[in-house]
Amino acid sequence: MRFVVKPEANKTDKLKHQDTINALNVIASTKNKDLISDVIYRDSYQDIDEIRSRVEDQLAITYLNKCAYCERLEKADIEHYRPKKSVKGEIHDGYYWLCYEWTNLLPSCVKCNRDGAKLTHFPILGTRVLAPKLLRGRRIDLNCNKAFNKPLIDEIPYLLHPEIDNPQLFFEFELDPSGEGIRLKGIDADGRGVKTIEICKLNRQELRLHRQREVMDPFVESIEAIFAKRTINEIDDNKLVTEITNQLDVLKRNASKVKKSHTLLRKYIIKDEKSFKSIVLPFLDKSIRPILLAAYRNWAK
Ligand SMILES: [Zn+2]
């Protein structure tokens, strides 16, 4: 997960249209969930190759083709952050009045949203909002529909919202004890990080291994190649350190490339010596670790 700015202006024309607001007013005032239409929140169209969705297209632009929750570059569905028709384990009609709300629409991959993951889970810490705020004339108060405004913000959802919550305050990483990749770890006192991991299954095996493959494997291969050249005296000790430093520079550059997958992890591993030692060093041979750590310390100065 990474923090994302999704401007209101990026909404599709159909979501902005007065007809949509009128339709929403009817849904909100009659509570008729059967009127919720994916013609509006998907806005499908046929291009040369396939049926596509204008809303998916806009979300993909904002989220750089990544899933809002797992940060994999993956085909993403339109996911209603607050579920629109029911809330698992709660006596709640669902947040039907947020069905077309821009701050409630996120791109999510199938594995984070379905497959026994998020679906209609939406546990909260604060006060549950049960119904929309209606103004005179049975019009909905659109300001109260924004995820970052009251009363919704006071729900304090356990599930972090990538456009509201800064994931760096909620997560660290650790190695999987069975050697199957890299795990995300919740660190905040309220347990929102832990619960977000649980809701979207952010430590599933496929994702743990994906983090390792995308972020660690290229670095490890480069470092091993450098040490192999040193072993056959193709390079001397000075050149060895220079080449390691170059690879650390690559890690740093990749951490700032927002289009890459797993930017939260990429930032974490070079953040400080503690995270470098706990995540990066164990992937390398014991004989290499002290030299690499010394190079890191020098590079990080
Ligand atoms: Zn995902």
Side-chain angles (χ1 to χ4, degrees), residues 67-72 74 108-113 202 204:
C67 169
Y69 298 123
C70 71
E71 250 210 291
R72 286 182 313 150
E74 196 67 36
S108 170
C109 76
V110 168
K111 287 189 177 344
C112 287
N113 192 23
L202 296 179
R204 54 185 187 261

Side-chain angles (χ1 to χ4, degrees), residues 50-76:
E50 60 190 327
I51 295 172
R52 296 180 52 169
S53 151
R54 290 188 181 86
V55 176
E56 271 181 18
D57 290 352
Q58 280 305 323
L59 292 174
I61 289 168
T62 309
Y63 278 81
L64 306 169
N65 298 302
K66 290 191 275 188
C67 169
Y69 298 123
C70 71
E71 250 210 291
R72 286 182 313 150
L73 283 151
E74 196 67 36
K75 171 84 176 73

